[in-house]
Amino acid sequence: SAGQVAGCYIGTDATGTNAVPNGVGVLAEAPVLVGNNVIAGNTRGVEINGGSASGVRLTRNWIGVASDTTSALGNTNQGVWIHGGATGNTIGSSTGILTEGNVIANNGAGVVIGDSNETASNYSVNNRISLNSIHNNTNLGIDLFPLGVTANGPDGPNSGANNLQPFPVLTAAEYDPVVKMVNLSATIDSTTAHSSYPLTVAFYVNATPDRPP
């Protein structure tokens, strides 16, 4: 069965508010549950690496945030890095439970999938990133290698990290004062080469854009 890393301050002192850096806070190379930790102040927060790294779950962690849950204490590079052929891992919730999400903030990048050594035989794919709060990272919140915004649309590339899944585009937002709800519409130019169907598109609120495409 998978081991656990739970209830730890990783990369901080005993108060969880001052950095005592590690090179990597948590290195997962096999199935493990990483939950309810503060992982902050390291060079890299969590690294999920290699073909044996499948079934890793990250849930309810504060990655790049101090133990007071508000103060920035970022990891210098990635908050989470999945690479080396790591497949079938979950960052956040796989069941739609909001409280299973992580906060991934104030890092050099939020979640990065892939690296320059991956080829068609060992891309890191089928890694779920769901119901997390990802914000205030220097670079993209979610980045599929090669680094930078991935070309969108069904005619774009589909061989690479997480099959280079295209991102949804918001097409309409209208507030209904009667029911006090916002009705949103979006499109996603994806194909079965990128994703398993049906697709789930989640909407989040952010005061400022993560970064323009």
Side-chain angles (χ1 to χ4, degrees):
S1 61
Q4 295 188 35
V5 178
C8 301
Y9 290 170
I10 301 172
T12 77
D13 63 6
T15 70
T17 58
N18 298 295
V20 184
N22 302 290
V24 178
V26 176
L27 174 61
E29 296 180 316
V32 64
L33 172 63
V34 181
N36 298 293
N37 302 287
V38 171
I39 305 171
N42 304 287
T43 301
R44 180 174 298 118
V46 179
E47 182 175 353
I48 301 172
N49 181 23
S52 296
S54 181
V56 177
R57 291 186 59 215
L58 268 62
T59 179
R60 301 186 179 101
N61 298 287
W62 299 88
I63 301 175
V65 182
S67 60
D68 62 9
T69 72
T70 57
S71 298
L73 194 60
N75 298 286
T76 306
N77 295 332
Q78 307 92 342
V80 180
W81 186 23
I82 304 171
H83 69 116
T87 298
N89 302 291
T90 302
I91 312 303
S93 177
S94 61
T95 59
I97 299 174
L98 287 172
T99 56
E100 291 184 345
N102 305 278
V103 176
I104 304 172
N106 312 305
N107 306 288
V111 181
V112 176
I113 302 181
D115 65 42
S116 59
N117 295 317
E118 292 184 2
T119 65
S121 64
N122 73 330
Y123 286 130
S124 296
V125 297
N126 300 327
N127 295 292
R128 183 184 181 99
I129 307 166
S130 179
L131 298 180
N132 302 284
S133 177
I134 304 176
H135 62 88
N136 289 96
N137 297 288
T138 303
N139 294 300
L140 291 177
I142 300 174
D143 200 351
L144 307 180
F145 199 87
L147 301 180
V149 177
T150 302
N152 215 12
D155 296 327
N158 55 43
S159 181
N162 263 18
N163 295 321
L164 300 180
Q165 169 64 53
F167 51 84
V169 176
L170 187 66
T171 56
E174 182 178 359
Y175 177 69
D176 186 333
V178 176
V179 295
K180 297 182 179 179
M181 294 181 63
V182 177
N183 298 311
L184 301 173
S185 299
T187 62
I188 181 165
D189 290 330
S190 186
T191 71
T192 53
H194 301 101
S195 317
S196 298
Y197 280 71
L199 295 176
T200 299
V201 179
F203 295 94
Y204 299 85
V205 174
N206 198 3
T208 56
D210 176 47
R211 211 176 88 180

